Amino acid sequence: MQPAAARRERAGAAMANCLQEWPEPVVRVQALAESGLAAIPSRYIKPPCQRPAAPLLGQEKELSESEMSIPVIDLGDLLLADDGGAATEAVAAACREWGFFQVVNHGVRPELMRAAREAWRGFFRRPLPEKQRYANSPRTYEGYGSRLGVQKGAILDWGDYYFLHLAPEAAKSSDKNWPANPGNCKEVSEEYGREVVRLCEVLMRVLSASLGLDESHFQRAFGGAECGATLRANYYPRCPQPDLTLGLSPHSDPGVLTVLLADEHVRGLQVRSPAGEWVTVQPVRDAFIVNVGDQIQILSNSIYKSVEHRVIVNAKEERISLALFYNPRADIPIAPALELVTAANRPALYPPMTYDEYRLFVRTKGTNGKAQIEALKGQASPAS
């Protein structure tokens, strides 16, 4: 096996060499949807085993008990430094059982949440030629996009997005990468990002403590103040055949934490339940949906697990959501915490790997379940 430094250098070279441009012309899904087509192009039709269940014709499905079971956690006492024990226990239980939970009383102003979501809704309603000025490439993904991964001929998802870097300061997207309209988009998104990053830092302390580690352990291991934050505004247009495609294919998130501000009116996020079934999440008003990323699964030595999720689309309604991804500093090797490793009962399951190395898989192949982290499992050397 090559030394870690050589492996990291090779990953950097691969990132630079193979991700220059998209392999074929990019088609905007919103433009397809607005063209009035009655059937979706074959490039968006998923294999039968990946398609969502056929929707009930003209009927609104009643929520089953399982669809209400994503934990909802009140962070109020925790943020007031009062008695956060119950919230810590609830977060730990949610991470063990689901990998997903919703948080209320989280400290981010509801009016700021709504303003950020509406600013991006305003962008996606701008004329296509204006949006095209911000077309992205796979070199950085910054800007207006409609696909993930660079495999030619891949089956695509029914959605567009806008991707930006918010933190750390040295990595922030420049002014030219931000849309000029709506005029408040950059200002409100950056304020929103700062508030959500603070929430992520609180959750880092909670997760560390819940595993019996020093409160600062997770934050320190992932890069301290140099942790990254990126924002992806997701736009899922109406789809004439929602039972044949997906807005976003099944995947787990490669980073540390994802904090999602879902659409207030249209459900779409589905999570793989502990029993293996797809569960549709019903967002609580003014709540965030939080999920564990692959890096927490690695650092916790699989005590906490990232979970597959996907997005379904709707024949009648468009849907918008904002996902903030909280990520490690790109060049720090991440490995299971030594305190959570025992040679006899719980050996280290993952080899040290930087986030730059890890995310190369996603940037080349796109979303693909939990293929990346499962491929790494058991590859740690006895000395790790």
Side-chain angles (χ1 to χ4, degrees):
M1 181 177 178
Q2 295 186 13
R7 193 178 70 240
R8 289 195 290 272
E9 183 177 349
R10 186 172 61 171
M15 185 86 77
N17 291 333
C18 71
L19 301 178
Q20 296 303 306
E21 298 296 339
W22 300 114
E24 49 215 351
V26 174
V27 177
R28 302 304 175 189
V29 180
Q30 185 177 4
L32 285 175
E34 293 175 354
S35 71
L37 50 76
I40 63 175
S42 60
R43 290 293 306 276
Y44 298 90
I45 297 177
K46 303 295 181 182
C49 63
Q50 294 181 16
R51 296 173 193 170
L56 297 177
L57 298 177
Q59 301 177 27
E60 183 61 29
K61 181 182 174 184
E62 291 292 326
L63 289 177
S64 68
E65 183 178 347
S66 67
E67 289 178 311
M68 298 293 287
S69 60
I70 300 297
V72 179
I73 301 171
D74 190 330
L75 297 182
D77 290 341
L78 184 70
L79 294 179
L80 290 172
D82 186 3
D83 179 14
T88 298
E89 291 176 10
V91 169
C95 289
R96 284 193 303 268
E97 297 166 16
W98 279 94
F100 267 81
F101 53 96
Q102 298 193 63
V103 291
V104 296
N105 294 323
H106 41 65
V108 182
R109 303 189 321 277
E111 57 269 26
L112 177 60
M113 298 165 67
R114 295 181 196 127
R117 185 169 46 210
E118 290 312 304
W120 285 105
R121 194 185 301 277
F123 169 78
F124 287 109
R125 288 177 175 169
R126 304 297 298 177
L128 180 59
E130 180 180 331
K131 291 182 290 195
Q132 284 287 88
R133 292 185 221 146
Y134 306 99
N136 71 352
S137 80
R139 290 191 298 273
T140 66
Y141 277 78
E142 287 176 285
Y144 179 45
S146 297
R147 64 176 294 164
L148 298 170
V150 292
Q151 288 188 327
K152 190 172 183 178
I155 301 298
L156 303 177
D157 292 332
W158 191 262
D160 300 326
Y161 65 87
Y162 204 108
F163 182 79
L164 291 157
H165 292 271
L166 300 181
E169 190 68 30
K172 288 175 67 172
S173 295
S174 64
D175 288 352
K176 69 178 182 180
N177 292 117
W178 286 87
N181 289 301
N184 68 336
C185 190
K186 182 174 187 291
E187 179 182 2
V188 73
S189 297
E190 289 186 330
E191 182 183 359
Y192 172 85
R194 288 190 294 270
E195 294 295 314
V196 177
V197 164
R198 276 196 278 270
L199 172 60
C200 289
E201 291 169 349
V202 170
L203 292 172
M204 287 290 94
R205 295 196 294 272
V206 170
L207 290 168
S208 293
S210 70
L211 291 169
L213 303 171
D214 179 88
E215 275 195 354
S216 63
H217 187 106
F218 270 31
Q219 191 74 49
R220 187 171 61 247
F222 289 131
E226 294 185 321
C227 283
T230 60
L231 180 69
R232 191 173 71 206
N234 303 302
Y235 182 81
Y236 304 106
R238 290 184 293 274
C239 179
Q241 295 176 298
D243 54 323
L244 297 183
T245 191
L246 290 167
L248 194 57
S249 296
H251 67 286
S252 60
D253 291 336
V256 175
L257 285 174
T258 301
V259 179
L260 180 75
L261 177 60
D263 195 292
E264 283 188 298
H265 306 294
V266 184
R267 291 183 296 153
L269 175 66
Q270 291 190 325
V271 174
R272 183 83 78 177
S273 77
E277 300 174 343
W278 286 111
V279 170
T280 304
V281 177
Q282 175 64 41
V284 173
R285 182 175 174 82
D286 297 331
F288 285 117
I289 300 169
V290 180
N291 66 277
V292 167
D294 292 348
Q295 303 305 311
I296 284 182
Q297 179 166 331
I298 292 169
L299 192 61
S300 72
N301 206 27
S302 210
I303 295 173
Y304 295 155
K305 294 180 176 65
S306 59
V307 171
E308 273 189 288
H309 49 289
R310 68 183 188 180
V311 175
I312 57 175
V313 290
N314 193 290
K316 297 180 179 180
E317 302 284 349
E318 65 180 16
R319 180 173 175 271
I320 191 165
S321 66
L322 301 184
L324 184 138
F325 302 104
Y326 193 64
N327 299 322
R329 204 181 87 185
D331 60 350
I332 295 178
I334 308 297
L338 293 178
E339 295 88 339
L340 304 178
V341 171
T342 59
N345 300 322
R346 184 173 281 274
L349 296 175
Y350 306 99
M353 180 174 286
T354 69
Y355 188 55
D356 259 350
E357 295 174 89
Y358 192 88
R359 66 182 171 179
L360 178 62
F361 178 92
V362 177
R363 289 199 170 185
T364 53
K365 299 183 182 298
T367 52
N368 189 19
K370 293 194 66 173
Q372 167 72 332
I373 195 163
E374 291 300 324
L376 292 173
K377 197 169 186 179
Q379 290 190 21
S381 66
S384 294

